[in-house]
Amino acid sequence: MKKTLLALALMGVSATAAADSWIYGGVSVGQADLGGETATSMNIHAGTGILPFIGLEAGYQNHGDFDNVNYGVFQSIDLEASSVYFAVKPSLDLGPLHLYGKAGLHSYDLKGQNNSFLEDEIDTMYGIGAEYSIMGPFTVGASYSVFSMKEEDIKNFSLNATFHFL
C-alpha cells in the first residue's frame, strides 16, 4: 500500500513539473466557426514556461476552408483562413491537471477562391484550455480560442496533444 501511494505521489509531482516545462510543443485538431459555417481546423504550437504561472506561446493555426460563408459585403463566398499567433499564457496547476488562458496577437490571411478576396491583418486572439498529464511529459486536453478579424471572429474548439521537453 505504501509503495502504491508513493508511486501516485511521484506521478503527481512529475505531472506538475511537466505542465510547467521550460519548452513544449504540440498539435491540435478541432472545429472552427466563421459566420455560422464550420470547418476542420489544425494547429501546431510551441512555447516556454518563463515563470511557474506564466508562459509564452507561438503557433500556426489553419482555421480551415469555409464554404458559402457571409463575410462583410460578400454573400456566400468560399474562404480559406489561417493565422500565425503569439500569446502570453497564464496557467494554474492542480496536480496532473493544467488550466490555462491565452491572450495575444495573430496575423491572419483570409483568401477567397480564385483570389477573389484577400484580407491580411493583425488582430487580437484569446482562449482558455485544460490539459491532463497521462504519461510523464505527454499531456492531452481541450481548448477554446477566439481569433478576432475585421468583420467577424473565428471561434475554434480543439483537442490538443502536447509533449513537454524540459
Short mmCIF file of all heavy atoms in Angstrom, two decimals, residues 112-117:
data_model
loop_
_atom_site.label_atom_id
_atom_site.label_comp_id
_atom_site.label_asym_id
_atom_site.label_seq_id
_atom_site.Cartn_x
_atom_site.Cartn_y
_atom_site.Cartn_z
N GLY A 112 -10.25 34.29 -50.62
CA GLY A 112 -11.38 33.77 -51.36
C GLY A 112 -10.89 32.89 -52.51
O GLY A 112 -9.73 32.99 -52.93
N GLN A 113 -11.76 32.03 -53.02
CA GLN A 113 -11.35 31.16 -54.12
C GLN A 113 -10.99 31.98 -55.36
O GLN A 113 -11.55 33.06 -55.58
CB GLN A 113 -12.44 30.14 -54.44
CG GLN A 113 -13.64 30.72 -55.20
CD GLN A 113 -14.69 29.68 -55.47
OE1 GLN A 113 -15.37 29.28 -54.56
NE2 GLN A 113 -14.79 29.25 -56.70
N ASN A 114 -10.01 31.52 -56.11
CA ASN A 114 -9.51 32.20 -57.31
C ASN A 114 -9.06 33.63 -57.02
O ASN A 114 -9.23 34.52 -57.85
CB ASN A 114 -10.55 32.18 -58.43
CG ASN A 114 -10.94 30.79 -58.82
OD1 ASN A 114 -10.11 29.87 -58.81
ND2 ASN A 114 -12.21 30.60 -59.15
N ASN A 115 -8.55 33.85 -55.81
CA ASN A 115 -8.07 35.17 -55.39
C ASN A 115 -9.13 36.27 -55.53
O ASN A 115 -8.82 37.42 -55.80
CB ASN A 115 -6.80 35.56 -56.14
CG ASN A 115 -5.66 34.63 -55.81
OD1 ASN A 115 -5.51 34.20 -54.67
ND2 ASN A 115 -4.86 34.29 -56.80
N SER A 116 -10.41 35.89 -55.36
CA SER A 116 -11.50 36.87 -55.46
C SER A 116 -11.54 37.80 -54.25
O SER A 116 -12.19 38.84 -54.31
CB SER A 116 -12.83 36.13 -55.61
OG SER A 116 -13.06 35.31 -54.48
N PHE A 117 -10.87 37.43 -53.18
CA PHE A 117 -10.88 38.23 -51.96
C PHE A 117 -9.60 37.93 -51.19
O PHE A 117 -9.16 36.78 -51.13
CB PHE A 117 -12.10 37.84 -51.11
CG PHE A 117 -12.14 38.49 -49.76
CD1 PHE A 117 -12.50 39.82 -49.62
CD2 PHE A 117 -11.81 37.78 -48.62
CE1 PHE A 117 -12.54 40.42 -48.36
CE2 PHE A 117 -11.85 38.37 -47.37
CZ PHE A 117 -12.22 39.69 -47.24
#
